[in-house]
């Protein structure tokens, strides 16, 4: 299972380093009320959808077991190839100042400040559902775990760990807000402003690095 998590590391990092999800959660954490409750609801919405994707695509039911490991490997390599191309296109679009096609509607960003925890839950779920690259990250994780043929208990645990680690850059600031409620608001607010200012550059660099990595893995896996 540990080796599989290492194989998932690039997918985990790319899922976690999505600036828009952090930009959405920071205002929830800096709000006085209910603050962390909204952020927890937002993260829960994202995680629940990822777990539902795991169920729908048979990971939790089958434990990642397959009758043909080669077939699973072919699926994994194809998904990585598609993801690599997708990320390189995203990097180019960011370089040419085109808007991110996976960014949520502007209305969602205006709703965040006054959102209830239930609305925040829906926003988190909706973000995962509309973002094509988050779909491919999750499907790539499912294929990687399936290819490892860990068996049901280990496969399920590994996918749950993937879902939690994919939200790690949201969970960490939420914990900071809970532990240091008076000091965290200003720090997180400044971080959110910096992230929003350099959002395009971050997306470009991350997409270029992981796009080339996934493209290489996909091509070599198919050869």
């Amino acid at each position: 299972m540990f080796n599989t998590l290492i194989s998932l590391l690039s997918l985990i990092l790319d899922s976690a380093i999505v600036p828009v999800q952090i930009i959405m959660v920071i205002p929830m954490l800096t709000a006085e009320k209910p603050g962390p409750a909204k952020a927890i609801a937002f993260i829960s919405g994202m995680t629940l959808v990822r777990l539902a994707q795991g169920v729908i695509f048979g990971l939790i039911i089958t434990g990642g077991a397959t009758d043909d490991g080669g077939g699973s490997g072919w699926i994994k390599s194809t998904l990585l190839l598609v993801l690599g191309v997708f990320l390189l296109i995203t990097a180019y679009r960011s370089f040419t100042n085109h808007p991110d096609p996976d960014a949520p509607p502007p209305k969602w960003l205006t709703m965040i400040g006054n959102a209830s925890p239930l609305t925040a839950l829906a926003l988190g779920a909706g973000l995962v559902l509309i973002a094509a690259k988050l779909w491919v990250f999750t499907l790539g994780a499912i294929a990687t775990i399936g290819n490892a043929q860990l068996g049901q208990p280990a496969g399920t645990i590994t996918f749950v760990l993937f879902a939690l680690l994919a939200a790690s850059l949201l969970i960490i600031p939420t914990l900071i807000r809970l532990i240091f409620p008076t000091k965290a608001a200003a720090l997180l607010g400044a971080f959110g402003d910096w992230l929003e200012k350099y959002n395009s550059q971050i997306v470009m660099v991350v997409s270029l690095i992981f796009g080339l990595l996934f493209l290489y893995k996909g091509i070599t896996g198919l050869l």
Side-chain angles (χ1 to χ4, degrees), residues 37-54:
K38 291 194 292 185
I40 292 170
F42 181 83
I43 296 166
S44 298
M46 295 186 69
T47 304
L48 287 172
V49 170
R50 284 192 172 108
L51 293 177
Q53 289 169 332

Side-chain angles (χ1 to χ4, degrees), residues 91-108:
Y92 174 76
R93 289 177 63 89
S94 297
F95 179 73
T96 55
N97 294 319
H98 282 78
D100 185 353
D102 288 335
K107 183 179 178 181
W108 288 21

